[in-house]
Amino acid sequence: MNNDLTAMVIGNLNKLTREDVRSISAKINAKTGKEEFEINLNDGRTLIQTNFLSGISERATVELPEFKSITERNDAIREMSNHGRTQTEIAR
């Protein structure tokens, strides 16, 4: 796996501590060799990095607002779905 995950975290966040991290996951697609890293932070942010065999590296940060109601949250989910996000992407 690529050590760019550490660089991504350091590049996006200053002073990240172990207590800031809720979960970390890493997956490798056996067919394509694509590596996917995801770090969920306690403040609602999710850092995502995808590495392709060709050397392309894609990085994203997802930031969720604090929803004041279930209706507000459901509207945001609907909006993301209408913009082509998959259920897996929305669940992050």
Side-chain angles (χ1 to χ4, degrees), residues 67-74:
F67 298 114
K68 294 178 175 73
S69 68
I70 292 173
T71 301
E72 194 176 271
R73 184 202 64 191
N74 290 345

Side-chain angles (χ1 to χ4, degrees), residues 7-53:
M8 180 181 73
V9 171
I10 292 169
N12 283 291
L13 301 170
N14 292 324
K15 301 179 184 175
L16 182 70
T17 67
R18 197 175 287 190
E19 290 78 27
D20 297 325
V21 177
R22 185 177 40 164
S23 66
I24 298 175
S25 69
K27 300 178 224 171
I28 299 175
N29 184 309
K31 289 183 180 181
T32 66
K34 180 174 74 170
E35 301 173 338
E36 295 179 307
F37 304 99
E38 186 174 305
I39 301 173
N40 295 297
L41 302 174
N42 289 322
D43 66 3
R45 288 181 287 178
T46 301
L47 306 175
I48 304 160
Q49 180 170 325
T50 304
N51 298 321
F52 298 89
L53 285 179

